Amino acid sequence: MPPEYRAIFAEWSPPIFLTTALLLSAIIYTRGWFLIRQTRPLLFPTWRLAAFNLGLATIWLSIASPMDGFADALLSAHMIEHLLLMSFVPPLLLLGNPQVPLLRGLPHAFTVTILAPFLRMKALRTLGHFLTTPVVAWLAMNLIFLGWHIPAAYDFALEHEHWHEFEHICFLVSSILFWWPLIRPWPTNARYPGWLMLPYLVGADIVNTALSAFLAFCDRPVYGYYLQQPNLFHIDPLSDQRAGAVIMWVIGSLIFLIPAFIVTLLLLQQESRHRA
């Protein structure tokens, strides 16, 4: 193994709290999935179980595995980390229809005595509906995405571990909100936004493309953090920045445009059936 890789692995240790939390989430969801599948097998096929647990595994891979060490050393690796956290994890989790299995998977006494009073709060439900409306969800994800990529904020997060963790929470939560109106995990009963999803997805792609293009065509390194740290991999910071921008641009665009294409086909098929 090259010495650069050995240095990353030597400094890495699995975060106990996050690893334990993810394992517990997997156990709770899996237990709830088996229980609810007895009455709703069509709503909870095996692929939903696989999707949710793959989403949890991707969280661990992106921010708890040695990849996090590579992300501290290379901007391109950091962009991969962000893509996994914002574009792969949320759809996988939501495709698992997680609300009911997670509730069913918890001990009954805990759900009834601790969670039930909160879940019955009208203000909490109203807030949830508000945050998952398309306009609010779109603004939350894209403003947080752009805000944390401002050079001062980006460097600050990398220099302060707890703020870096908070950045990851912001990315994950806002991205779950963003994907919610599109996937609408059961038992969400909000009306499907229909054709609104096309500008919703294309608009997000435009934001991603604008930031990616800026990083790709800028003639200097934007983030000073990588200039101050030891260059373990001896990669020119500007070349690393451009590689990260290309990753964001290409993969990020596919993440938004492929669902837009699928939504278009489904809506056209739906309109064709209505005409018939």
Side-chain angles (χ1 to χ4, degrees):
M1 182 184 294
E4 301 87 359
Y5 289 78
R6 284 203 302 271
I8 297 290
F9 279 92
E11 292 185 6
W12 172 77
S13 60
I16 301 301
F17 177 80
L18 178 59
T19 302
T20 302
L22 292 173
L23 285 173
L24 282 175
S25 298
I27 292 169
I28 291 168
Y29 177 90
T30 301
R31 179 176 183 268
W33 181 86
F34 276 108
L35 290 173
I36 197 170
R37 182 176 163 83
Q38 296 172 10
T39 56
R40 295 182 178 269
L42 296 180
L43 265 177
F44 288 91
T46 305
W47 68 262
R48 291 198 185 276
L49 174 67
F52 185 85
N53 285 321
L54 181 58
L56 294 180
T58 306
I59 293 177
W60 191 89
L61 174 66
S62 60
I63 59 176
S65 75
M67 178 179 287
D68 196 45
F70 287 93
D72 288 342
L74 294 170
L75 185 146
S76 52
H78 207 170
M79 293 304 105
I80 294 172
E81 181 181 70
H82 288 177
L83 272 173
L84 289 173
L85 205 57
M86 300 185 73
S87 300
F88 288 88
V89 169
L92 287 170
L93 295 180
L94 295 178
L95 285 170
N97 283 346
Q99 302 103 292
V100 177
L102 287 174
L103 289 174
R104 290 288 300 274
L106 289 167
H108 182 69
F110 178 83
T111 304
V112 171
T113 59
I114 305 297
L115 290 183
F118 290 99
L119 296 176
R120 285 196 292 264
M121 292 174 60
K122 184 178 179 180
L124 192 62
R125 293 199 303 271
T126 301
L127 177 63
H129 291 314
F130 173 74
L131 292 175
T132 53
T133 55
V135 172
V136 175
W138 192 94
L139 288 173
M141 193 274 284
N142 286 286
L143 290 177
I144 286 174
F145 172 68
L146 291 176
W148 279 111
H149 283 88
I150 293 171
Y154 186 100
D155 290 340
F156 181 82
L158 283 174
E159 291 164 359
H160 300 84
E161 185 60 31
H162 291 308
W163 281 101
H164 197 190
E165 293 168 356
F166 178 68
E167 176 196 47
H168 290 156
I169 293 171
C170 290
F171 284 155
L172 180 59
V173 172
S174 64
S175 297
I176 288 174
L177 294 179
F178 175 85
W179 289 101
W180 194 287
L182 184 69
I183 297 174
R184 295 183 310 142
W186 181 82
T188 301
N189 56 11
R191 187 174 63 86
Y192 188 63
W195 290 104
L196 177 61
M197 287 293 95
L198 294 185
Y200 185 85
L201 290 164
V202 172
D205 179 52
I206 290 172
V207 172
N208 177 71
T209 296
L211 177 59
S212 301
F214 170 72
L215 294 175
F217 296 115
C218 190
D219 60 359
R220 60 178 178 80
V222 172
Y223 301 117
Y225 175 86
Y226 296 105
L227 300 176
Q228 300 165 6
Q229 300 301 309
N231 191 343
L232 292 177
F233 296 92
H234 309 291
I235 298 175
D236 174 55
L238 187 57
S239 299
D240 181 38
Q241 177 175 293
R242 288 172 176 162
V246 170
I247 291 169
M248 287 175 61
W249 201 336
V250 175
I251 300 178
S253 289
L254 290 174
I255 291 296
F256 295 124
L257 296 181
I258 290 176
F261 177 73
I262 294 172
V263 167
T264 301
L265 289 180
L266 293 175
L267 290 172
L268 288 174
Q269 289 175 359
Q270 184 178 7
E271 290 191 355
S272 177
R273 285 195 299 268
H274 286 165
R275 291 194 197 100

